[in-house]
Amino acid sequence: CSSFGVVQDVAIKEVMPGRRKKRLGPWEIKQLVREARAASSVRHVNVMQCYAYHRGAMDKRFFLVMELLQGPNLEQVLSTPLSAVHVPI
């Protein structure tokens, strides 16, 4: 992602429709846009930054461009005993 000459790694998350649907519906897209706008306005050290979103007009695909966090993934965290997990606050 490049903004004003600053280059940084980002995470791009595609929001997928439910198992029984092929694409997101208008109501779901509207809710996701509201959520993305709200998330992008939050600035806090314990909240992942949401930089931008994209919604496809034709294919109804929805992407979030978010801060890339370094560290273990959720599966690794959940498989680690709680006593061994260190989460800085």
Side-chain angles (χ1 to χ4, degrees):
C1 181
S2 177
S3 178
F4 304 106
V6 177
V7 177
Q8 66 186 55
D9 291 332
V10 296
I12 299 176
K13 177 181 178 180
E14 180 177 8
V15 179
M16 305 296 287
R19 294 174 66 179
R20 297 175 187 242
K21 298 171 104 179
K22 292 186 178 186
R23 61 171 64 168
L24 297 169
W27 184 86
E28 293 161 315
I29 293 285
K30 184 177 179 180
Q31 290 299 108
L32 288 166
V33 169
R34 286 183 61 205
E35 184 177 332
R37 287 180 178 158
S40 66
S41 69
V42 174
R43 303 284 189 273
H44 191 276
V45 296
N46 292 337
V47 177
M48 189 167 56
Q49 185 68 47
C50 179
Y51 299 120
Y53 67 90
H54 168 78
R55 61 179 174 165
M58 298 298 288
D59 60 4
K60 303 290 188 204
R61 295 172 73 185
F62 190 88
F63 298 91
L64 294 171
V65 180
M66 307 169 85
E67 174 182 7
L68 179 63
L69 299 180
Q70 302 298 326
N73 64 32
L74 181 60
E75 182 179 359
Q76 293 166 329
V77 170
L78 293 177
S79 66
T80 304
L82 191 56
S83 60
V85 175
H86 172 71
V87 180
I89 298 178

